[in-house]
Amino acid sequence: HPAFNMSFSRWHICCLLSLLLGVVSVDPVLLEQNSFNKLTVGQQHLLHWAFGSATKLTDQGVRLTPDKQSKRGWLWNLVPLEVSEWQVDFSFRVFGAGRSLFGDGFAMWYSRIPGVEGPVFGNMDKFNGLGIFFDTYKNTEVRTTHEFPYISAMVNNGSLSFEHDMDGTHGGIGHGHVGCHAFFRSYGDDSRPHNVRLTYQEKRITLAIQLAHHGWRECFSMGNITLPASGHLGFSASTGHLTDNHDIIEVRTFSLSGSQLPNDVGRIKSATSAEEQSPLFRHKTQDEGGAVTMKQLLAVLQEQGQRFQAEYIAQLRQVEARVVQDFEDRIARLERGFLYKTESLKEDKTRLEQEVKSLSSRVSSWIVPFALLIVIIGAVALWMQRKYTDLRKSHLL
């Protein structure tokens, strides 16, 4: 019957649309082991997270570095993120006493090797994974068209170095042309937090930022990006001669089982209950992708140890090179000083010889007249003596 066929077709279409909508509208799942909430007063530990170097837990959040010179700090999630598509929301603050000079910034990481301190915003160079850089200081020798503070990204397979002198623009995604300028750095008492959302879905990285009291805006989006299947989330920061406070306030990580992002955080379901939370490293066989096997742990530790050994040897060589260079510079300065003194003594000797010659010439010019004068005086004296003797003989005296 035509009417029956039409209603039957509509019914099938409605069922198909319902199924499709049901698949698309699946809520992201909060991964509690890869997240942490705002710290409470006096809190001293973070479950499933490790921090070190200058990083401290404060009432305002995890302070990666204080507003002091030459500090490094890091915060790493000990439980690897092993979902194919994910989203990380976090709140942060960057502020300090400097009005026009401040630095250096902080970075967010998704890396296979966590917890290796190094020169890239407090983390190791030649990392394997993704780095998001929140750079607050522009190197004066770099010619760039963008303003600072600047947010950029870099995907690395462990073979590329972050070029500090170029602010990482040469090795970044899209050859350093992917990123955005955002005033996320505050001055003085203005320490309002800002929010960031980083998603990795369908091999596309998208970063959005929400500055304090402003709406969300997309910073950059880049496709055809392949990241390691398993990695650790982390944050690190560093200061040099310029300083700032770098705070991470809250981190929420989601597994994206659908294609839509969450619109209502209150609808997000927890991946694990309090009873299902495992220890930092679980020594059992991995069956559902949530546990870390002993073999994986040993492999990570071995790779980290090898990388640490390489980094340590490289640092020793750098120190040795600096010591040798400093020693050579000192020797060169001493040689230059000795040569300068020698030349100065030679000049003094030459000047004295010239003065002696000049004096000798002046003295020699008076010898002949002085001798003649002596002869004349002697002759006059002899003549007068003879005259005196003759007068006495003549009895005139």
Side-chain angles (χ1 to χ4, degrees):
H1 195 275
F4 174 77
N5 291 335
M6 183 176 295
S7 61
F8 180 79
S9 299
R10 288 177 179 176
W11 181 81
H12 276 80
I13 292 173
C14 290
C15 290
L16 181 61
L17 289 176
S18 299
L19 290 174
L20 291 175
L21 290 175
V23 171
V24 172
S25 61
V26 173
D27 289 336
V29 178
L30 176 65
L31 304 176
E32 293 185 354
Q33 294 178 346
N34 307 108
S35 308
F36 69 86
N37 297 321
K38 294 180 180 180
L39 304 183
T40 59
V41 177
Q43 185 172 343
Q44 298 296 326
H45 302 282
L46 280 177
L47 185 61
H48 306 311
W49 294 78
F51 57 92
S53 196
T55 300
K56 304 293 182 184
L57 300 186
T58 70
D59 296 342
Q60 298 178 345
V62 181
R63 179 148 297 171
L64 298 176
T65 63
D67 194 6
K68 296 181 180 179
Q69 291 183 339
S70 302
K71 297 295 182 181
R72 288 178 179 176
W74 48 266
L75 170 70
W76 283 97
N77 187 200
L78 298 177
V79 180
L81 184 58
E82 295 181 326
V83 293
S84 59
E85 297 181 339
W86 44 264
Q87 172 182 306
V88 179
D89 295 348
F90 69 93
S91 302
F92 73 96
R93 275 190 297 253
V94 178
F95 65 100
R99 182 181 294 272
S100 59
L101 294 176
F102 42 83
D104 290 329
F106 76 98
M108 175 191 174
W109 305 96
Y110 174 81
S111 177
R112 289 190 62 226
I113 307 298
V116 180
E117 187 175 325
V120 184
F121 293 94
N123 190 39
M124 63 183 294
D125 197 5
K126 295 184 178 181
F127 59 93
N128 191 342
L130 171 67
I132 307 294
F133 309 114
F134 296 76
D135 197 346
T136 57
Y137 177 72
K138 177 182 179 181
N139 292 301
T140 56
E141 63 271 17
V142 180
R143 295 182 179 180
T144 57
T145 57
H146 53 257
E147 299 180 54
F148 279 73
Y150 192 74
I151 305 173
S152 61
M154 179 179 180
V155 175
N156 199 344
N157 60 1
S159 63
L160 303 177
S161 290
F162 182 88
E163 298 184 10
H164 279 279
D165 293 338
M166 302 302 296
D167 288 324
T169 54
H170 280 193
I173 296 178
H175 302 288
H177 300 293
V178 175
C180 70
H181 163 60
F183 285 105
F184 59 80
R185 196 267 176 183
S186 305
Y187 166 72
D189 296 331
D190 184 8
S191 57
R192 293 172 295 177
H194 312 292
N195 300 314
V196 168
R197 171 170 293 170
L198 176 67
T199 60
Y200 179 59
Q201 192 172 30
E202 297 178 354
K203 294 186 179 296
R204 173 171 291 274
I205 294 174
T206 303
L207 188 137
I209 186 169
Q210 182 189 40
L211 298 178
H213 303 303
H214 291 80
W216 284 94
R217 70 180 180 94
E218 183 178 290
C219 177
F220 63 81
S221 183
M222 194 73 177
N224 196 25
I225 301 296
T226 301
L227 296 179
S230 175
H232 293 261
L233 295 176
F235 299 86
S236 65
S238 65
T239 64
H241 293 294
L242 304 178
T243 64
D244 255 340
N245 296 302
H246 301 93
D247 292 353
I248 304 299
I249 303 171
E250 184 179 16
V251 177
R252 294 180 299 166
T253 305
F254 306 95
S255 172
L256 302 179
S257 57
S259 60
Q260 290 184 345
L261 300 181
N263 296 320
D264 183 6
V265 178
R267 295 188 293 111
I268 297 174
K269 299 177 181 179
S270 172
T272 57
S273 63
E275 294 78 15
E276 295 171 335
Q277 290 182 350
S278 60
L280 298 183
F281 289 107
R282 288 171 288 183
H283 300 167
K284 66 178 184 179
T285 304
Q286 180 175 354
D287 50 2
E288 298 179 356
V292 180
T293 65
M294 195 63 176
K295 183 178 180 181
Q296 286 180 319
L297 177 58
L298 291 176
V300 170
L301 291 177
Q302 183 178 6
E303 186 174 357
Q304 182 174 348
Q306 293 175 352
R307 186 63 61 87
F308 175 77
Q309 182 180 6
E311 293 282 340
Y312 183 71
I313 293 175
Q315 291 178 3
L316 285 179
R317 290 176 177 174
Q318 291 176 359
V319 171
E320 180 184 5
R322 287 196 298 268
V323 171
V324 172
Q325 185 64 39
D326 182 67
F327 183 71
E328 291 178 350
D329 292 341
R330 288 176 181 271
I331 292 177
R333 286 196 296 269
L334 290 174
E335 289 178 349
R336 289 194 296 268
F338 178 75
L339 292 175
Y340 174 78
K341 292 294 184 182
T342 303
E343 293 296 329
S344 178
L345 290 174
K346 289 181 178 179
E347 292 178 358
D348 292 341
K349 179 183 177 183
T350 304
R351 186 171 60 255
L352 287 174
E353 290 177 349
Q354 292 176 352
E355 291 180 356
V356 169
K357 289 181 180 179
S358 177
L359 181 61
S360 299
S361 62
R362 288 197 298 271
V363 171
S364 62
S365 64
W366 285 95
I367 291 176
V368 175
F370 184 74
L372 290 175
L373 180 61
I374 295 298
V375 171
I376 292 172
I377 292 174
V380 170
L382 182 61
W383 178 80
M384 290 181 68
Q385 184 181 6
R386 289 180 178 179
K387 198 70 174 173
Y388 176 76
T389 303
D390 291 341
L391 288 176
R392 290 190 66 180
K393 288 180 179 180
S394 61
H395 303 284
L396 293 177
L397 290 176

